[in-house]
DNA sequence: GTAGACCCTCCCATTAATGTGAGGGTCAAG
DNA sequence: CTTGACCCTCACATTAATGGGAGGGTCTAC
């Protein structure tokens, strides 16, 4: 199938499909006229890419294990686990940082309730 | 004081001080030679700006209430509360989103423990 | 043979704060 | 009057995935 059809089937923009190729995540064959042709498996492949992107992984990280997970269950590809673990650490750190900011904001908001309402302009 | 001294006192780069001015957060006077001259109060002002930036507010948001909070307690400036509340909502939403991703990652990581270790290469 | 729907590449823009460097003034001390 | 430490403006780079447009080829149906 051509890029327009793959885009329609997956909901991923043509621009992004070309970007994934540039990043080594997709390798369509080229017809004599230069058009990209994708195998039917590309559709699942694109959905897989999207899934990992939604987990916050970069195209570079995804490229490290995509070939394997397309052929095996995720848990069989040993490149995957360390990426997940690192990402998990990053996420936890971000959550902590956001939690600190949240508490700080909540404290500040609380003070508004505890103080006179004669607020000043600008 | 000149920009180099303000930078040294606050630890904020000269580049950033000029950026804050561009964004309307600082308004040093200009000498005849074009040099920026900052009042002694600028030091506290810069620390205040940094504080709000660390809360995740944008320079645009900060500019909306900075003048007021420099003259009054934060709780007296009515521009502040809605910004805090909006930011708090954003933070909470981000935390939720990260939490979902975290759970997803943890689930995936758990499956590795529950499966055979004969992982495949690339 | 032409209209219209495809496809191609190349390149710029987005976001927000900051880094960096070129090219060039200012000023104080020697 | 030169050195060196300042200061200035302008402008590009950073990040990552995506949007968008220009300029142009291809293919199908009429």
């Amino acid at each position: 199938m051509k890029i327009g059809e793959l885009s329609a089937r997956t909901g991923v923009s043509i621009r992004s499909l070309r970007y994934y190729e540039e990043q080594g995540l997709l390798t369509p064959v080229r017809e004599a006229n230069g058009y990209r042709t994708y195998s039917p498996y590309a559709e699942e492949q694109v959905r897989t890419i999207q899934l990992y992107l939604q987990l916050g992984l970069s195209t570079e990280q995804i490229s490290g294990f995509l070939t394997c997970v397309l052929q095996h269950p995720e848990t069989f590809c040993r490149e995957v686990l360390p990426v997940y673990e690192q990402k998990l650490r990053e996420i936890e750190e971000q959550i902590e940082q956001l939690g600190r900011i949240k508490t700080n904001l909540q404290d500040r908001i609380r003070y508004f309730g505890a103080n006179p309402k004669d607020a000043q302009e600008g």
Side-chain angles (χ1 to χ4, degrees), chain A:
Chain A
M1 86 188 88
K2 282 178 290 183
I3 198 167
E5 188 182 344
L6 183 57
S7 172
R9 282 176 183 276
T10 60
V12 173
S13 74
I14 289 177
R15 177 69 182 81
S16 292
L17 293 176
R18 291 203 264 243
Y19 176 71
Y20 299 160
E21 179 181 358
E22 194 183 306
Q23 301 302 305
L25 302 182
L26 287 177
T27 48
V29 300
R30 294 303 183 108
E31 298 304 317
N33 57 17
Y35 288 13
R36 292 164 176 84
T37 295
Y38 297 88
S39 91
Y41 303 111
E43 189 178 332
E44 190 206 336
Q45 191 163 350
V46 171
R47 295 191 201 282
T48 303
I49 293 168
Q50 285 280 297
L51 184 153
Y52 290 124
L53 285 176
Q54 280 156 20
L55 283 177
L57 304 186
S58 67
T59 54
E60 192 185 352
Q61 289 175 316
I62 296 169
S63 77
F65 57 71
L66 184 61
T67 306
C68 186
V69 299
L70 287 171
Q71 294 171 336
H72 310 280
E74 200 177 68
T75 49
F76 277 54
C77 301
R78 56 182 170 86
E79 297 91 336
V80 178
L81 185 56
V83 174
Y84 278 179
E85 288 172 334
Q86 191 200 323
K87 190 68 197 177
L88 182 60
R89 281 192 298 272
E90 288 172 15
I91 298 271
E92 285 171 339
E93 199 170 326
Q94 287 172 41
I95 289 175
E96 269 184 44
Q97 169 68 3
L98 287 174
R100 280 190 290 271
I101 294 173
K102 177 179 170 179
T103 300
N104 194 328
L105 282 170
Q106 284 174 327
D107 286 349
R108 286 165 188 271
I109 289 171
R110 238 190 308 279
Y111 283 125
F112 280 87
N115 274 297
K117 289 287 189 293
D118 52 330
Q120 308 291 314
E121 182 80 43

